[in-house]
Amino acid sequence: MCIDDQMLSAYLDNELAEPFRSQVEEHLGYCQACKERLEQLKILSLRIKDAAFPAASLVENKDKVFSLLEQKCFSQKRKNFFRRKIEMGLPSLITAAAAVIFIFVGSFVFFGSNQSQTEEILPSFAVRADAQNVQFVSQKKDSLDNYTLEEILQYLDQKGYKVDLSVKGITPLDEEMQ
């Protein structure tokens, strides 16, 4: 199996540690394809080094580089969001119009203005809350203390509640075992 370009590049830059370095050298001893790729990487590395600008050249031409960057990249002033021209192609304009119509029609279908549908979603109350038809719990004469546990469980069962009851404490069997 041949060596990948990253491994060859690391070998070329003397960044491979042993035992990988010796394995790459051994592979290069018998694999002509990897030798050719290593030579191509050497040529590429030399071209990159030759193409690099010297630091002195960059310092001399710094003002030219900055003015060129300013002209090409930063010369256009940003327009205010509300003053921008919105350009849309015909397919996107049709898609946007269809989406608006779909949302508009869908809202009428879903929410509708039919009184019966509105009452199903938001029921109205005919009875007004006033002192005659509102009783506070503390004013009621009956409290849970007046009912047995069995009566409370029967009432909850009639209302459709499922109640699981567990008792904590010592049972008569536990007392006999002690």
Side-chain angles (χ1 to χ4, degrees), residues 32-84:
Q32 189 60 33
C34 288
K35 281 183 193 177
E36 290 174 7
R37 284 202 341 259
L38 181 65
E39 287 302 316
Q40 290 173 351
L41 287 174
K42 283 181 185 178
I43 293 169
L44 180 63
S45 178
L46 289 174
R47 284 185 182 173
I48 290 172
K49 287 178 184 174
D50 290 343
F53 286 111
S57 173
L58 286 177
V59 171
E60 291 173 8
N61 297 318
K62 177 177 75 171
D63 293 332
K64 290 180 186 177
V65 170
F66 284 146
S67 66
L68 181 64
L69 281 173
E70 188 175 319
Q71 288 174 357
K72 295 287 182 183
C73 300
F74 304 110
S75 66
Q76 297 176 352
K77 292 183 179 178
R78 294 189 144 221
K79 293 181 181 179
N80 188 350
F81 177 77
F82 295 107
R83 295 182 185 230
R84 290 183 183 169

Side-chain angles (χ1 to χ4, degrees), residues 17-161:
E18 288 297 331
F20 303 110
R21 183 169 187 75
S22 59
Q23 289 174 352
V24 169
E25 288 172 352
E26 180 183 337
H27 182 80
L28 290 173
Y30 62 83
C31 182
Q32 189 60 33
C34 288
K35 281 183 193 177
E36 290 174 7
R37 284 202 341 259
L38 181 65
E39 287 302 316
Q40 290 173 351
L41 287 174
K42 283 181 185 178
I43 293 169
L44 180 63
S45 178
L46 289 174
R47 284 185 182 173
I48 290 172
K49 287 178 184 174
D50 290 343
F53 286 111
S57 173
L58 286 177
V59 171
E60 291 173 8
N61 297 318
K62 177 177 75 171
D63 293 332
K64 290 180 186 177
V65 170
F66 284 146
S67 66
L68 181 64
L69 281 173
E70 188 175 319
Q71 288 174 357
K72 295 287 182 183
C73 300
F74 304 110
S75 66
Q76 297 176 352
K77 292 183 179 178
R78 294 189 144 221
K79 293 181 181 179
N80 188 350
F81 177 77
F82 295 107
R83 295 182 185 230
R84 290 183 183 169
K85 185 179 178 182
I86 298 175
E87 296 179 12
M88 294 179 73
L90 185 61
S92 20
L93 185 62
I94 291 172
T95 304
V100 168
I101 291 171
F102 179 75
I103 291 170
F104 187 72
V105 170
S107 65
F108 275 111
V109 169
F110 184 70
F111 295 110
S113 60
N114 187 352
Q115 185 65 26
S116 65
Q117 284 181 332
T118 306
E119 286 179 4
E120 286 177 15
I121 296 171
L122 300 170
S124 60
F125 294 99
V127 179
R128 292 189 56 211
D130 57 14
Q132 295 169 348
N133 59 8
V134 174
Q135 275 190 341
F136 291 103
V137 175
S138 61
Q139 294 174 348
K140 283 190 148 194
K141 295 176 184 172
D142 294 335
S143 71
L144 289 178
D145 294 335
N146 297 337
Y147 297 100
T148 65
L149 180 60
E150 188 175 325
E151 291 173 327
I152 294 172
L153 290 175
Q154 284 176 351
Y155 175 78
L156 291 174
D157 188 44
Q158 289 172 355
K159 293 295 183 181
Y161 292 101

